[in-house]
Amino acid sequence: MARTAKPVPAGTAALVQLSLAGGGLSPTLRAAHARLVSPALNVWRVEAPARGVIAALRAEGLLAVAEPDRRLIPFTHLSSGDPLLPSEWWIHDVGDDQTEPPPPGVPVTVVDTGLDLSHPEFKSRPGTTPLNPQTVTTGDDIHGTAVSSVIGAPANGIGLVGVYPQAALQEWDFGDGSLSEILAGLDAASKRGRGVINFSGGFFSGFDALLEQGIDRALHRGAIVVAAVGNDRQSGNRSFVPASLPHVLTVGATTQGDRVTSFSNRSTALDLAAPGVAIPVAVPTFYDPSGYASFDGTSFSSPLVAGATAWVWTVRPQLDPTQIEDVMRHAARDVGPKGWDRDTGFGILSIPAALADKTPAKDPQEPNDDVNLVRPHAVTASGTRLTTPARLRARLDVTEDPEDIYRVWVPAHARISASTHSASNVNLGLWGPKTRTVYERGSALRRDLVAFSQRSRSRPDVVSGRNSTAGGAFYYVDAFLGKRVGEAAYSLKVSVSRP
């Protein structure tokens, strides 16, 4: 039976395989000026448009196979002769050899020590933008060059090739690594719009309000942060920020055997892992005369994910920041215990799977984890508000997106009602106009919490309240996870009935 291996689009040339040895004498084939390209396989090339010829050959009983003639994708970034390519074992591990990266698109910003712009990998590299002066003078300054090479070392026949060699690469030299410089780098990168920001370092801290606000503001501007989970596994496994903060794509390190490394932190915030041992990197020549070295660490797993994320986002520009984060997590190649675990997250980075992964649902109004993220003149000038009547679907995650707050205008003497439905346990609260945070306690809690509903399992939750004042005010609807629930999708309905 004749079959079509791949659909032949209109206006496209085709390859046809004939079922009979003498089929080349077909008047249809001769009239189309078909060219014999493989006598052994009896395959002919038919110029565009080819659909009519294919239909005629099928009617004559001569067609065995038809498919479009198409171009081979040359893996130029892996055939450029860079001498360290054979030692870049991670290329096969993350699927970088299964497809060709796109031209420059979504930028990657490295917030780190300065980039050595005189290095052979970078001195004539197109698409390399310093966002501030780059200083590389001592052994303490080599890290940024090494991290940047993992992302974007070009396929130029020299040294090594990065995960996304054509990437639009931006550099922020954080000087002494102070929080002030980190915040400035976040601002400089995110005000340029959509992009990926890599942090291959962190602070010993379970929480940092200013850094969290900087990351939330970056997300609001359309940028996401990728961060290394840390190398502290054998020295207390301390938590680092920004890796442990919500809305950060947190990365651990794996070995050539697809196991967690001996140093990569265990973390409830871990999203995925990437190769992190024996990683070839570029370094300033004052550190090594060859200009290259081999390093271990989550510092080099993180840029693999950052570069790959920019690659996937460039190919799939319709995704918003939370969707691209979800794609990178869900497309990871599961290793270790089935499903998510604290050693490798959802699994090891897979570029081909991320390119093909289904589009996840949007998560509206993110970031909206607390009141300061939705009211004006806090993290953003305008804040966000929910226009009523409202029906929406959203998601919660205990580490990445723990709470959803919606700011709703309630006229004087009007009543507000809200309800949630979820297959998991999503609870609901209603907070008054003076609320500063949904984590209030004591007298502030008694003053501001208007209503709450914490029904068990998947039972719907409903809250309501009335603005009894003579003026309109903003109230806050608060959706949050029930106890021992790790993640949930939910639907929310909010209405305001005027007096």
Side-chain angles (χ1 to χ4, degrees), residues 294-310:
S294 178
F295 288 163
D296 299 344
T298 57
S299 283
F300 310 103
S301 309
S302 181
L304 284 176
V305 172
T309 301

Side-chain angles (χ1 to χ4, degrees), residues 5-80:
K6 291 181 179 294
V8 178
T12 302
L15 298 179
V16 294
Q17 185 180 47
L18 304 184
S19 57
L20 297 176
L25 298 176
S26 163
T28 300
L29 207 59
R30 284 185 289 173
H33 303 289
R35 176 169 58 90
L36 182 63
V37 297
S38 176
L41 297 176
N42 204 6
V43 174
W44 299 71
R45 187 180 194 274
V46 179
E47 297 294 338
R51 280 183 171 178
V53 177
I54 292 170
L57 291 173
R58 183 180 288 112
E60 293 174 20
L62 294 175
L63 185 67
V65 175
E67 63 179 66
D69 196 6
R70 53 200 190 277
R71 292 183 179 275
L72 178 75
I73 298 173
F75 290 151
T76 55
H77 74 300
L78 301 181
S79 59
S80 53

Side-chain angles (χ1 to χ4, degrees), residues 96-243:
D96 192 15
D97 55 350
Q98 296 180 36
T99 186
E100 186 74 4
V106 174
V108 188
T109 301
V110 176
V111 179
D112 211 302
T113 62
L115 172 65
D116 181 5
L117 292 166
S118 68
H119 193 283
E121 297 283 9
F122 297 105
K123 66 180 179 180
S124 58
R125 182 188 185 277
T128 307
T129 306
L131 300 182
N132 67 345
Q134 305 291 298
T135 302
V136 182
T137 56
T138 72
D140 294 331
D141 301 330
I142 68 169
H143 198 260
T145 301
V147 167
S148 299
S149 69
V150 173
I151 296 170
N156 57 358
I158 301 171
L160 55 91
V161 176
V163 64
Y164 183 6
Q166 300 96 316
L169 192 61
Q170 302 176 157
E171 300 286 334
W172 180 267
D173 186 338
F174 63 27
D176 61 359
S178 62
L179 179 58
S180 58
E181 284 295 329
I182 299 299
L183 292 174
L186 263 173
D187 186 66
S190 63
K191 73 180 181 182
R192 299 169 74 92
R194 176 178 292 206
V196 179
I197 304 169
N198 183 80
F199 282 94
S200 287
F203 300 96
F204 291 126
S205 174
F207 176 73
D208 190 298
L210 294 178
L211 186 55
E212 183 172 36
Q213 288 181 37
I215 289 167
D216 288 334
R217 185 172 179 81
L219 182 64
H220 181 80
R221 287 171 164 176
I224 62 172
V225 169
V226 178
V229 72
N231 303 332
D232 204 43
R233 188 185 187 92
Q234 296 177 324
S235 305
N237 208 62
R238 292 169 291 183
S239 178
F240 290 86
V241 292

Side-chain angles (χ1 to χ4, degrees), residues 398-475:
V398 69
T399 58
E400 298 297 345
D401 184 12
E403 205 123 359
D404 282 346
I405 311 300
Y406 303 94
R407 188 170 68 107
V408 181
W409 177 255
V410 182
H413 306 298
R415 189 171 190 82
I416 177 174
S417 298
S419 62
T420 57
H421 294 263
S422 174
S424 302
N425 186 5
V426 174
N427 298 320
L428 203 56
L430 179 64
W431 296 82
K434 295 182 179 180
T435 306
R436 307 301 294 177
T437 172
V438 295
Y439 300 102
E440 288 177 344
R441 296 292 182 267
S443 60
L445 174 66
R446 292 190 292 272
R447 178 194 68 200
D448 294 328
L449 183 60
V450 176
F452 69 95
S453 175
Q454 293 178 290
R455 305 184 76 185
S456 61
R457 298 186 177 88
S458 60
R459 298 168 68 191
D461 286 277
V462 180
V463 293
S464 63
R466 183 182 296 277
N467 179 8
S468 59
T469 66
F474 282 103
Y475 283 66

Side-chain angles (χ1 to χ4, degrees), residues 253-410:
T254 49
T255 68
Q256 295 185 45
D258 286 347
R259 297 182 179 276
V260 63
T261 66
S262 62
F263 52 79
S264 183
N265 281 21
R266 304 190 78 209
S267 174
T268 57
L270 190 64
D271 291 301
L272 73 166
V277 296
I279 305 298
V281 297
V283 293
T285 54
F286 65 73
Y287 180 82
D288 189 301
S290 72
Y292 298 92
S294 178
F295 288 163
D296 299 344
T298 57
S299 283
F300 310 103
S301 309
S302 181
L304 284 176
V305 172
T309 301
W311 171 346
V312 174
W313 210 355
T314 298
V315 174
R316 306 182 66 179
Q318 75 280 8
L319 301 181
D320 68 21
T322 61
Q323 287 177 302
I324 192 67
E325 288 186 323
D326 283 343
V327 161
M328 301 311 292
R329 293 183 190 106
H330 297 159
R333 176 167 53 87
D334 194 15
V335 294
K338 185 176 177 58
W340 180 90
D341 63 80
R342 295 201 300 164
D343 288 327
T344 58
F346 287 99
I348 296 173
L349 169 67
S350 173
I351 295 171
L355 290 168
D357 195 54
K358 67 179 181 179
T359 299
K362 289 182 179 291
D363 195 7
Q365 300 205 0
E366 293 294 341
N368 62 339
D369 303 346
D370 206 348
V371 172
N372 71 310
L373 295 177
V374 298
R375 65 180 176 84
H377 310 298
V379 172
T380 62
S382 60
T384 59
R385 62 181 292 179
L386 191 65
T387 303
T388 56
R391 291 176 179 267
L392 58 84
R393 294 191 61 82
R395 302 186 303 280
L396 291 167
D397 182 279
V398 69
T399 58
E400 298 297 345
D401 184 12
E403 205 123 359
D404 282 346
I405 311 300
Y406 303 94
R407 188 170 68 107
V408 181
W409 177 255
V410 182

